[in-house]
Amino acid sequence: MSLFRDDGVVLRTQKLGEADRIITLLTRGHGRVRAVARGVRRTKSKFGARLEPFSHVDVQFFARGSELIGRGLPLCTQSETIAPYGGGIVSDYARYTAGTAMLETAERFTDHEGEPAVQQYLLLVGALRTLARGEHAPHLVLDAFLLRSLAVNGYAPSFSDCAKCGMPGPNRFFSVGSGGSVCVDCRVPGSVVPSPQTLELLAALLTGDWETADASEPRHVREGSGLVSAYLHWHLERGLRSLRYVEK
């Protein structure tokens, strides 16, 4: 029997029995973890209020064995709030739907429980902080998070040089299956021709150039969101359920 301590973000919760919950977290040191939190659904439980989606928490786990992830689910025995991002997110529909899509994305990109995913964890914490503070439009924060999640998992799209032959950009065509922008010689059936401003916006979101992103026109933002969604769908092999509710 062992105790483990880590900090993480609550991705989702599930009811278990009459008073318990299964909490899914993305942690700094152990990647995605599912744990049982006993008694948290009771009305007097202060512990349960800290374990809601979007919460950034310091958690103690109790596991039967020398490893946190074993045959059975560990117990979540203590929790301290690091940052209650949910307070600045759930009160606004646009922020809430964007945040929900972020949580689902983070869970989908961490398939194997117990495997550290530090870059994905840090990316999620930063995105939720930005979203909760209202520093940028929620859909822009979401698209930036999706693009960077793809990048840290090895699927970074190209928005200038040809993704197939490396021909210096800008290039006119865009193919999700080819990895982004492609030149006229490398284009494949199904390639689209987005506006140059849309590709400039997506490159800005990927690199963190918020001055360019915030100044983008709505039509370019909508076109860019469509490309991001299609690219994400291609690499995840199925779309995110939560994306359909996101305001554009």
Side-chain angles (χ1 to χ4, degrees):
M1 297 182 181
S2 305
L3 289 175
F4 299 85
R5 198 167 195 96
D6 208 341
D7 55 272
V9 174
V10 180
L11 301 180
R12 63 187 174 100
T13 65
Q14 299 166 268
K15 292 181 180 179
L16 180 66
E18 296 183 356
D20 305 338
R21 278 193 180 134
I22 297 176
I23 312 295
T24 303
L25 307 100
L26 179 57
T27 67
R28 180 190 295 269
H30 297 87
R32 184 162 61 89
V33 174
R34 290 190 308 143
V36 174
R38 290 180 174 169
V40 295
R41 289 167 54 204
R42 296 192 180 102
T43 55
K44 295 183 180 180
S45 174
K46 296 181 180 179
F47 179 43
R50 301 172 190 148
L51 293 173
E52 293 293 334
F54 306 113
S55 295
H56 187 200
V57 291
D58 182 333
V59 187
Q60 180 174 280
F61 301 101
F62 174 83
R64 298 181 180 276
S66 59
E67 301 291 336
L68 176 59
I69 304 302
R71 293 184 178 180
L73 295 179
L75 295 179
C76 180
T77 55
Q78 291 183 20
S79 174
E80 297 294 334
T81 300
I82 298 174
Y85 295 129
I89 294 176
V90 300
S91 59
D92 181 86
Y93 181 79
R95 293 184 194 176
Y96 174 73
T97 53
T100 300
M102 291 178 188
L103 298 185
E104 185 181 354
T105 300
E107 184 170 2
R108 292 282 297 278
F109 272 124
T110 51
D111 288 338
H112 304 292
E113 292 186 22
E115 291 187 2
V118 178
Q119 286 184 301
Q120 186 69 65
Y121 163 79
L122 295 174
L123 187 61
L124 179 61
V125 171
L128 292 178
R129 182 189 304 117
T130 300
L131 191 65
R133 292 176 178 174
E135 296 175 0
H136 307 284
H139 52 274
L140 289 178
V141 178
L142 172 60
D143 285 343
F145 173 78
L146 296 179
L147 288 171
R148 295 176 196 181
S149 291
L150 285 159
V152 300
N153 284 281
Y155 307 118
S158 172
F159 297 118
S160 180
D161 297 347
C162 179
K164 297 189 73 174
C165 72
M167 178 180 175
N171 288 288
R172 293 180 54 206
F173 302 95
F174 189 91
S175 169
V176 295
S178 299
S181 294
V182 289
C183 65
V184 64
D185 294 328
C186 294
R187 64 175 176 168
V188 296
S191 298
V192 296
V193 186
S195 68
Q197 294 88 343
T198 297
L199 295 178
E200 182 181 354
L201 163 63
L202 295 179
L205 291 175
L206 181 59
T207 59
D209 179 4
W210 284 105
E211 183 177 355
T212 297
D214 290 336
S216 298
E217 295 182 18
R219 59 195 176 102
H220 300 140
V221 172
R222 288 192 295 270
E223 185 178 39
S225 292
L227 293 178
V228 173
S229 179
Y231 195 83
L232 182 72
H233 186 283
W234 175 271
H235 288 287
L236 288 180
E237 299 182 352
R238 57 189 174 94
L240 299 178
R241 295 187 302 274
S242 50
L243 270 185
R244 71 187 71 172
Y245 303 110
V246 174
E247 289 187 337
K248 299 295 184 181

